[in-house]
Amino acid sequence: MIFAVTLACVLISACSQTPERPALKFTGRLLLLSGNSTNGANLTELTAAPGGNTYNLATIAGDVFEAAPNLDQTQLLYATKDQIMLRDLHTGAVKPLVKGQGFCLAWSPDGKRFSYKQNQAASTKLYVSDLDGKTKLIWEDSSGIENAGDRYCAQWIAPDRIVFDRFVGMIPKASSEKVKPNTTTLAILGDSVQFIDSARKWSIQGICPSGSAILSPADQSQPTLIAKTVEHFEKLDPTSGPSEGRFIGFAAKSCVPFFISQSLSTTTDLFSLNPTNWQRLRSASINYTFTPGAKMLIKSSARLMVVGDAPDKLLLIDTESGDITPFFSEAATAARNAGPLQSPVPVVWIED
């Protein structure tokens, strides 16, 4: 009788316990920038070691200031102080494209061209180049005013169209062109470049491959707005997005947008939207708060997310449960003493 009661208690206790979820596993390859970015960071590749509990790190390029993968994650542009390079992510082959340091690297949707800007003496120039290094000057600001932030950083909305910001007072005196104050400009690329100024200035947070965009009025973090298409950018009329949350990116190779909002001092809410009807899809509570500079990459399945956060955090997060698995333990991080993964910035997650 005593045995039966004891056995029943054990069974009841076992049934009442929540089964532990298996630890998150990272698969594929992760390329990230790490180290002191002031003089150029290291472009580092991270892969899971056999067993999946430890990771191998390999530096594949040094003195890198910026890196950008194409949409299908087969090629990577990266900029050093001397040139812009192209790396094949399958073979590892590297090809120099453009001399001089470039900024604001951005790919065309078809992966055949890219845009970049260069600061040269008293001017800033915006270029478009093909993958053989043949360049075309799109826009030049010769005012001599130092440019800050993402000014003149272009975003592609079609294989022959980019959008960027222009400002009154920065047109060469010899030009008869009129530019609206503080506007976002559409540039149509051809034998010549045609400029069309939008009705207002936008802060573009992200444009997905299918053509929808997450944006807000210029110089504002809210409200979040959604444009279902950017085909006629100059007449953009976006609809309201979520009333809370900060956009953190689209899942790779899809248009599932993710947002975070901080509900408590130690907790962050993560949620996504259905890219068809823009209704809220899923949510998770994460026992972690992110810095404004945290960089996040979301897997194509929209299930897992890699986060690099200052000064040395590299995390794998389940977007459904909110579970967090650090890539490296606190002890390992302390032992590195701000080593190869200082200030990690994930660049591209090459999935299996």
Side-chain angles (χ1 to χ4, degrees):
M1 181 68 177
I2 295 176
F3 173 77
V5 172
T6 303
L7 179 60
C9 291
V10 170
L11 292 175
I12 292 172
S13 176
C15 292
S16 64
Q17 293 178 356
T18 302
E20 291 187 5
R21 287 188 288 263
L24 303 182
K25 296 291 185 180
F26 172 82
T27 59
R29 296 184 288 143
L30 178 68
L31 267 63
L32 60 144
L33 295 176
S34 60
N36 185 353
S37 60
T38 303
N39 298 315
N42 290 326
L43 180 61
T44 302
E45 182 178 77
L46 178 149
T47 55
N53 295 320
T54 58
Y55 302 93
N56 297 320
L57 296 172
T59 299
I60 58 179
D63 302 325
V64 176
F65 290 88
E66 191 175 322
N70 63 354
L71 290 179
D72 64 8
Q73 302 177 346
T74 59
Q75 295 179 301
L76 181 76
L77 291 168
Y78 65 91
T80 69
K81 65 179 180 180
D82 299 316
Q83 57 192 337
I84 299 174
M85 310 289 289
L86 177 68
R87 182 181 182 88
D88 187 305
L89 293 177
H90 290 317
T91 67
V94 176
K95 174 183 176 181
L97 293 181
V98 177
K99 291 184 178 180
Q101 186 174 355
F103 304 89
C104 300
L105 305 177
W107 285 88
S108 64
D110 60 5
K112 295 181 179 180
R113 294 190 287 181
F114 64 95
S115 58
Y116 65 97
K117 74 173 185 178
Q118 287 185 332
N119 296 329
Q120 301 174 355
S123 69
T124 296
K125 297 180 179 181
L126 174 64
Y127 293 94
V128 164
S129 173
D130 63 19
L131 300 188
D132 289 323
K134 183 179 179 181
T135 65
K136 182 180 183 65
L137 178 64
I138 304 301
W139 171 253
E140 179 179 4
D141 165 23
S142 55
S143 66
I145 300 175
E146 182 178 359
N147 299 306
D150 292 335
R151 189 176 298 177
Y152 310 123
C153 289
Q155 297 196 52
W156 292 78
I157 62 173
D160 64 343
R161 298 184 178 214
I162 59 175
V163 292
F164 66 101
D165 294 340
R166 296 196 294 174
F167 292 78
V168 164
M170 297 187 179
I171 306 294
K173 292 181 179 179
S175 174
S176 60
E177 183 183 4
K178 295 182 179 179
V179 180
K180 295 179 181 178
N182 297 338
T183 188
T184 301
T185 296
L186 166 67
I188 303 175
L189 311 177
D191 293 336
S192 60
V193 181
Q194 179 185 358
F195 296 111
I196 303 175
D197 296 318
S198 61
R200 63 185 303 185
K201 185 171 182 290
W202 299 104
S203 174
I204 304 170
Q205 300 171 32
I207 299 176
C208 80
S210 70
S212 58
I214 307 295
L215 64 162
S216 61
D219 305 321
Q220 298 180 34
S221 59
Q222 292 291 339
T224 297
L225 303 173
I226 297 171
K228 296 181 180 179
T229 176
V230 291
E231 182 178 0
H232 300 289
F233 190 89
E234 67 279 12
K235 301 178 181 178
L236 208 59
D237 185 22
T239 59
S240 297
S243 59
E244 60 178 357
R246 173 169 65 90
F247 175 70
I248 58 171
F250 294 103
K253 303 179 184 179
S254 78
C255 286
V256 179
F258 278 78
F259 299 80
I260 58 172
S261 62
Q262 186 173 322
S263 58
L264 299 171
S265 60
T266 58
T267 304
T268 300
D269 292 328
L270 171 72
F271 64 92
S272 63
L273 303 181
N274 185 320
T276 302
N277 57 21
W278 303 106
Q279 298 300 307
R280 193 159 170 154
L281 270 179
R282 65 174 81 174
S283 61
S285 180
I286 304 172
N287 291 323
Y288 183 87
T289 55
F290 302 98
T291 67
K295 178 63 184 292
M296 308 174 190
L297 297 180
I298 304 154
K299 200 169 185 179
S300 295
S301 64
R303 167 78 194 288
L304 295 176
M305 176 171 69
V306 169
V307 180
D309 205 357
D312 52 20
K313 298 289 187 182
L314 188 64
L315 309 170
L316 184 63
I317 298 178
D318 188 316
T319 63
E320 294 180 341
S321 67
D323 291 346
I324 303 176
T325 299
F327 278 80
F328 300 96
S329 65
E330 295 289 341
T333 299
R336 284 200 312 273
N337 191 25
L341 285 187
Q342 179 187 10
S343 303
V345 179
V347 172
V348 58
W349 185 348
I350 307 164
E351 303 177 21
D352 288 340

